Amino acid sequence: MKYMFNEIEPKWQKIWEETGAHKTVDDPAADRSKNYYCLDMFPYPSGEGLHVGHWRGYVLSDVWSRYMKMKGYNILHPMGWDAFGLPAENAAIKKGLHPKENIGRSIANMKRQLHDIGAMYDWDREINTSSPEYYKYTQWMFLKFMERGLAYRKEAPINWCTSCKTGLANEEVVDGVCERCGSEVVKKMLPQWFFKITDYAERLLDDLEGLDWPERVRLMQANWIGKSKGAEVIFKIKGHPDELKIFTTRPDTLFGATYMVLAPEHPLVEKITAPECREAVMEYIDNTLKTSDLARMASEREKTGAKTGAYAINPVNGEEIPIWISDYVLITYGTGAIMAVPAHDTRDFEFAQKFGIPIIEVIKPPENCETEECYAGEGTMINSGKYNGMSSSDFWKEIVKDLGSRGLAEEKVNFRIHDWLVSRQRYWGAPVPMVHCEKCGIVPVPESDLPVMLPHVDRYQPTGTGESPLAAIPEFVNTTCPVCGEKARRDTDTISQWICSSWYYLRYVSPEYDEGPADKEAVRRWLPVDQYVGGVEHAVLHLLYSRFFTKVLYDMGYVNFKEPFTRLFNQGMIYRMGSKMAKSKGNIVNPDELVSKYGRDSLRAYELFIGPPEQDSEWDDRGIEGVYRWLRRVYLFFMQNNFPKNIDEPLLVRGLLHRYIKKITDDIERFHFNTVVSGLMELFNGLQELYDKEPGCISHKSAEGYILLMAPVAPHLAEELWNKVGHDTSVFKARWPEYDPELLAQENITVVVQVNGKLKARLSVPSGSSEEEIKAMALNDENIRPVLDGKDIRRVIYIPGKLVNIVL
RNA sequence: GCGGAAGUGGCGGAAUUGGCAGACGCGCUAGAUUCAGGAUCUAGUGGGCUAAGCCCAUUGGGGGUUCGAGUCCCCCCUUCCGCACCA
């Protein structure tokens, strides 16, 4: 008899399909607590297909979904395609195919691969963000954001990817290069659409608190939002009507300000620069503009700068202090200008040293504190006039209040996050549903006219002009104004795919619904997502945007929850030959080959067994052999033996089973899927050993127990065996087994005996034994007595059910 | 520089609370089977010895707490990840 996984697996997949086994049970009367929504981050269709790294997350979310199904929940476990936008379009261009055609092919291939996983996806709910039925509501979202004053168009210096030839959001620029293609990102002035994510910065930060998410992701989002509390302070400029407003988190160091710095791009630079400094300032600005953002951000750089020849007046003491420009001050943060306190800020310290600017200490560190040349902590005020002796933290409040009363300062919270650039100068996306009318300005397309269809074109390549390819299609561009009816032009930008994916989780609950993005009743039954599974690379992209969208939808009254994903799990990546799998590195492991060689269940089990699911793991080509052998042996064992219903099963067998029901259940609950698999192996090894000693000793009930436990991991084989032991319905209609605590209590337990902390003996004792009995047994044990011979026993430590330690 | 995670056999890794270190698997060694290879099965797989037993070492390094530390505390080293002139 052979383990014919290639017959078993397709057979059960066919049966699942025919019986609608994976169709979501959506009972309108069902209580929310009976429904469970487990979502995978959906992929973009690439044509290269999935590799074993992609499988990992899908397998573990499927194991979890199947387990929850066996626990009695109605499961929503959908899949779809992030088919609009840069990733999908770039993939198509690379292949020289029209995006629509390429995406169709890629989806077919990836869907075949996803079927191989044997996941319980409900394909009736499949969504595709590039279908008009879907993007109609992406555009609807855009209109709603517009209505609420959260969308605006503005000419601004934006991030422009030189290779993708489009504007990018800040979140898409990583280390100065495009997150997608790795090409250089430059600044370009262009009118662009933005969403006011900054209005939600505070809430996005505050609500991180209650999320059952990996610490790492919450931290990354908190850093990205970057809240800092400080004050804005106004400095007058000597001999000049303009005022200089700066942001500082350290108003307590105002007396130590010995110079000011403006970002080179600051609008005041032009006005205040003295004639004799003009040449040097202009040259400096020129150089700054030539320096890439990437180079400018390198923190190890030596400080540079130029004097403007102008002076500011320190509002606390009337001192005149010189105004400099330097690229270490960023125009994009705060007011683009700072007061510099070299005594208490390392950056200012460096700058002051280089340019010979005075350094005045105003905060004395506490006594016991090791003094450095530049102390940035709290302390006692010195050199601060009448405030000397005050604690710096009290003075902080005091001086803001004092200056505030003269209109020169106010407390202010600053965020690092900026508004979200959402328009793309690319073809493959949902057109921005706006019309430009000479008379009426920017006018939204009426909801009833949605979707604004993306026209089919032959030339879809990006233009690089700052306009999308849509601008070259008169039939698309020319329209009439929805307000006045005069001739008007459509907006030709497309919507970033991050918007498509910001609300997709909502669509799955009612994918056919056509009176809005989702049926509110279905939303109430299924949302928010109970468990979300995906890679950590979306920490400050998709996950942040989705949260923002959800809060806006909540404010609109469209959804009744403030956070979309209650629980998040980030699976680790799979490496091979020391690096992340990528076609360019030639280290891809193709699941298709493994499926045909070892079968779907083996690959599923190995994806879990490879290591802790949240950690990165190195792929071992031979590792899958081990799980394959296990499944093969399980198959042969169950097929070649019979498990009678009415036998007097030894306690050893049942005790073993129940111990592992507990262990495996606990491990699944903790997402320790690697030890779920090793636990299943251990249990099988144990059962087989007992069976070898006493053939026929395993009851029908216990055999079923094993099949149930392995079902989430190896669903095809479990169905086959479930059928073999006499069931004609799916194993996933059965309930997850529960362990019997009393049975565990009846087992003998092993108590370890140590002498001075070193293992000397093991006792097998009935679990009900008393402390006295066990201690006595330990002291009288034949391995222990000789060791104790003639020595004084100082102490005997007993840990119930575990160990006796005899201290000499 | 700041923040986070991690460091355990030849390899992947296990060890909820401080209580048998190395489960499970890969690989390797020997044997069985086989014409042979592969596959499969059985046994072994930290070191030492006067070798069925006993002893010793051992969780990146050093110190500490404890009857007892991979696990807790302090110092140091290494790797990975995130942030990085954000005032």
Side-chain angles (χ1 to χ4, degrees), chain A residues 44 46 48-54 94 180 573-590 619:
Chain A
Y44 74 89
S46 78
E48 286 179 13
L50 304 171
H51 58 65
V52 294
H54 298 114
K94 221 166 158 184
R180 210 54 255 165
M573 278 189 299
I574 291 193
Y575 285 74
R576 186 150 175 265
M577 304 183 308
S579 55
K580 202 177 151 179
M581 276 189 198
K583 202 167 192 184
S584 58
K585 289 186 193 127
N587 63 350
I588 296 279
V589 177
N590 186 342
W619 185 264

Side-chain angles (χ1 to χ4, degrees), chain A residues 542-692:
Chain A
H542 162 61
L543 289 169
L544 186 63
Y545 298 148
S546 267
R547 295 184 59 226
F548 169 43
F549 256 69
T550 304
K551 292 187 188 308
V552 175
L553 289 166
Y554 175 84
D555 289 350
M556 282 165 57
Y558 209 88
V559 301
N560 57 345
F561 51 90
K562 296 177 182 172
E563 286 290 336
F565 314 120
T566 306
R567 196 151 83 120
L568 173 69
F569 186 85
N570 292 132
Q571 81 275 15
M573 278 189 299
I574 291 193
Y575 285 74
R576 186 150 175 265
M577 304 183 308
S579 55
K580 202 177 151 179
M581 276 189 198
K583 202 167 192 184
S584 58
K585 289 186 193 127
N587 63 350
I588 296 279
V589 177
N590 186 342
D592 298 2
E593 291 161 27
L594 294 166
V595 162
S596 62
K597 193 165 173 202
Y598 299 101
R600 295 150 183 84
D601 285 335
S602 292
L603 184 50
R604 284 173 67 102
Y606 184 59
E607 294 272 354
L608 302 170
F609 188 64
I610 190 166
E614 72 285 357
Q615 278 175 35
D616 294 342
S617 292
E618 176 78 18
W619 185 264
D620 177 355
D621 290 318
R622 287 171 303 200
I624 192 173
E625 297 267 359
V627 291
Y628 170 75
R629 285 173 198 152
W630 160 60
L631 290 175
R632 189 182 154 276
R633 280 173 31 227
V634 169
Y635 174 77
L636 295 176
F637 182 76
F638 277 88
M639 295 309 279
Q640 288 169 348
N641 295 299
N642 287 310
F643 308 98
K645 281 201 165 116
N646 298 310
I647 60 162
D648 192 14
E649 189 177 48
L651 184 63
L652 271 178
V653 173
R654 248 177 318 146
L656 180 71
L657 177 70
H658 280 250
R659 208 156 66 233
Y660 275 92
I661 291 174
K662 179 173 183 344
K663 181 197 155 52
I664 289 165
T665 305
D666 288 352
D667 283 354
I668 290 181
E669 293 280 349
R670 294 189 298 160
F671 271 49
H672 285 206
F673 297 111
N674 52 330
T675 57
V676 169
V677 176
S678 63
L680 286 166
M681 290 172 169
E682 282 169 33
L683 173 56
F684 179 71
N685 293 347
L687 288 173
Q688 201 175 35
E689 200 181 316
L690 291 172
Y691 200 83
D692 283 350

Side-chain angles (χ1 to χ4, degrees), chain A residues 10-23:
Chain A
K11 178 176 110 190
W12 285 102
Q13 292 207 348
K14 193 158 162 262
I15 293 172
W16 290 335
E17 200 157 318
E18 284 166 1
T19 57
H22 300 158
K23 249 181 106 65

Side-chain angles (χ1 to χ4, degrees), chain A residues 201-245:
Chain A
E202 191 83 59
R203 284 163 68 187
L204 286 167
L205 185 67
D206 291 347
D207 290 350
L208 282 172
E209 201 77 14
L211 291 175
D212 188 1
W213 283 22
E215 183 60 31
R216 178 166 59 142
V217 176
R218 291 189 300 164
L219 207 75
M220 281 164 76
Q221 291 210 355
N223 285 341
W224 186 261
I225 294 166
K227 179 179 179 174
S228 62
K229 286 183 203 166
E232 278 186 353
V233 181
I234 291 170
F235 284 62
K236 300 239 189 295
I237 299 171
K238 189 186 171 194
H240 222 275
D242 288 292
E243 292 176 329
L244 178 53
K245 192 191 260 183

Side-chain angles (χ1 to χ4, degrees), chain A residues 227-510:
Chain A
K227 179 179 179 174
S228 62
K229 286 183 203 166
E232 278 186 353
V233 181
I234 291 170
F235 284 62
K236 300 239 189 295
I237 299 171
K238 189 186 171 194
H240 222 275
D242 288 292
E243 292 176 329
L244 178 53
K245 192 191 260 183
I246 59 108
F247 174 74
T248 180
T249 54
R250 296 299 302 273
D252 52 329
T253 62
L254 262 161
F255 279 92
T258 53
Y259 65 102
M260 311 292 285
V261 188
L262 303 184
E265 302 90 338
H266 198 287
L268 271 181
V269 175
E270 174 71 16
K271 291 187 185 172
I272 62 169
T273 301
E276 67 274 16
C277 298
R278 197 152 198 94
E279 200 179 327
V281 164
M282 285 308 169
E283 197 191 322
Y284 187 80
I285 293 174
D286 225 40
N287 279 334
T288 304
L289 293 178
K290 276 188 222 151
T291 313
S292 74
D293 265 18
L294 186 56
R296 192 172 159 180
M297 281 186 321
S299 56
E300 304 299 308
R301 273 173 80 223
E302 202 180 328
K303 295 277 179 290
T304 56
K307 235 178 182 163
T308 63
Y311 288 83
I313 296 161
N314 191 333
V316 295
N317 57 11
E319 295 273 335
E320 292 178 10
I321 56 180
I323 303 175
W324 289 69
I325 62 170
S326 173
D327 64 6
Y328 84 91
V329 172
L330 307 174
I331 189 66
T332 50
Y333 185 78
T335 61
I338 63 160
M339 66 169 192
V341 185
H344 303 291
D345 181 285
T346 52
R347 296 153 301 181
D348 300 343
F349 181 78
E350 267 176 55
F351 191 91
Q353 283 216 308
K354 178 159 173 189
F355 293 103
I357 298 169
I359 297 169
I360 301 172
E361 267 189 83
V362 292
I363 292 174
K364 200 171 109 219
E367 293 294 322
N368 51 3
C369 183
E370 278 181 49
T371 45
E372 303 143 35
E373 33 182 21
C374 176
Y375 175 73
E378 297 187 349
T380 311
M381 301 315 303
I382 51 171
N383 295 324
S384 299
K386 64 176 181 180
Y387 301 101
N388 283 344
M390 243 178 135
S391 85
S392 61
S393 54
D394 289 345
F395 177 57
W396 197 111
K397 291 271 172 201
E398 182 86 6
I399 192 69
V400 174
K401 216 171 86 194
D402 281 8
L403 291 175
S405 66
R406 292 156 52 200
L408 292 176
E410 63 175 335
E411 285 198 30
K412 169 98 186 180
V413 170
N414 234 306
F415 290 97
R416 220 177 63 110
I417 192 171
H418 292 118
D419 278 342
W420 173 17
L421 195 162
V422 297
S423 45
R424 296 292 176 270
Q425 292 68 56
R426 295 283 293 241
Y427 167 67
W428 192 241
V432 169
M434 294 289 161
V435 168
H436 299 264
C437 170
E438 276 192 24
K439 229 167 75 193
C440 313
I442 294 177
V443 179
V445 171
E447 241 177 80
S448 55
D449 290 354
L450 296 182
V452 177
M453 294 289 286
L454 179 68
H456 186 85
V457 295
D458 294 325
R459 291 196 43 210
Y460 49 84
Q461 284 80 1
T463 62
T465 59
E467 280 195 308
S468 90
L470 296 181
I473 308 166
E475 311 86 83
F476 175 79
V477 176
N478 296 323
T479 184
T480 52
C481 172
V483 176
C484 68
E486 296 290 311
K487 280 188 178 173
R489 291 173 57 84
R490 282 194 191 282
D491 198 291
T492 55
D493 281 347
T494 49
I495 300 173
S496 165
Q497 86 274 6
W498 296 112
I499 290 187
C500 306
S501 58
S502 288
W503 69 278
Y504 82 110
Y505 68 92
L506 202 60
R507 188 68 183 161
Y508 284 124
V509 303
S510 54

